[in-house]
């Protein structure tokens, strides 16, 4: 089992001085945790998903350094090399590491897999990005059709971005 608390501390230390990144990873982690539980993931898959959520954007600083860009393709390319030693320090075994690295390496490639853990990571990242980037309602509706596959993720998308706004 990967020690998620230790991994989150390692990720926060890696991203020291960049609270936006740390805040983002913690929100994506929280959504992955809740959606995964809502979808009934087994403990092993849930643990690896949570680890990937914590580290999904860990390649951003390397992408910016090497490619002068934080574009998704560069995050996917640079993330696994940064994530691997952090996963090892948090106790990940070979299989856990391989799956987490695959998830990190594909988290901007929406058609890479139909696997539930992968879909949950995409959904959680979208839910957080939609808020952080103030995406318009229509973009959220489109994402609901293109990206979201889980019942729990769709319910969050609906209540957060597609339902009528709260009225006082």
């Amino acid at each position: 089992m990967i020690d998620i608390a230790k991994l989150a501390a390692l990720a926060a230390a890696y991203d020291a001085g960049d609270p936006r990144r740390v805040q983002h990873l913690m929100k994506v982690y929280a959504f992955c945790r809740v959606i995964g539980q809502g979808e009934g993931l087994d403990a092993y898959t849930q643990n690896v998903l949570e680890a990937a959520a914590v580290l999904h954007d860990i390649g951003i600083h390397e992408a910016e350094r090497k490619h002068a860009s934080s574009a998704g393709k560069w995050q996917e390319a640079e993330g696994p090399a940064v994530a691997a030693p952090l996963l090892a320090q948090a106790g990940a075994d070979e299989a856990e590491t391989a799956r987490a690295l695959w998830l990190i390496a594909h988290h901007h490639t929406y058609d890479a897999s139909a696997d539930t853990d992968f879909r949950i990571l995409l959904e959680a990242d979208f839910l957080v990005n939609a808020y952080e980037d103030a995406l318009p309602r229509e973009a959220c509706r489109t994402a609901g059709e293109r990206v979201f596959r889980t019942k729990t993720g769709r319910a969050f998308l609906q209540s957060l971005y597609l339902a009528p706004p709260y009225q006082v």
Side-chain angles (χ1 to χ4, degrees):
M1 260 323 196
I2 304 165
D3 182 338
I4 301 300
K6 182 173 185 176
L7 189 62
L10 291 166
Y14 180 84
D15 283 335
D18 191 351
R20 177 177 163 81
R21 299 274 178 251
V22 177
Q23 291 285 326
H24 178 81
L25 77 86
M26 294 303 293
K27 289 184 278 187
V28 172
Y29 157 74
F31 273 115
C32 279
R33 182 165 175 75
V34 173
I35 296 170
Q37 289 174 348
E39 295 299 308
L41 291 185
D42 63 88
Y44 176 88
T45 304
Q46 181 73 38
N47 180 249
V48 174
L49 170 61
E50 290 177 15
V54 167
L55 299 177
H56 76 284
D57 280 347
I58 202 74
I60 285 179
H61 291 298
E62 273 301 291
E64 290 171 337
R65 188 178 72 73
K66 288 183 177 178
H67 309 284
S69 171
S70 64
K73 71 178 183 174
W74 300 124
Q75 291 178 39
E76 290 179 337
E78 302 301 335
V82 178
L86 302 178
L87 286 162
Q89 291 176 62
D93 67 23
E94 189 175 320
E96 293 164 336
T97 298
R99 182 59 180 170
L101 294 180
W102 187 90
L103 291 168
I104 293 163
H106 294 86
H107 79 278
H108 283 282
T109 308
Y110 286 1
D111 60 354
S113 174
D115 293 344
T116 302
D117 58 343
F118 175 68
R119 302 312 308 178
I120 291 170
L121 180 58
L122 294 179
E123 292 172 7
D125 197 26
F126 184 88
L127 289 169
V128 175
N129 285 331
Y131 175 75
E132 292 176 350
D133 298 340
L135 292 183
R137 184 184 201 95
E138 191 52 40
C140 294
R141 187 180 324 284
T142 300
E145 297 165 4
R146 290 186 47 233
V147 177
F148 284 70
R149 303 286 183 274
T150 71
K151 181 178 177 182
T152 309
R154 285 178 190 250
F156 273 115
L157 180 71
Q158 176 64 36
S159 62
L160 292 172
Y161 302 111
L162 303 176
Y166 171 76
Q167 299 289 324
V168 177

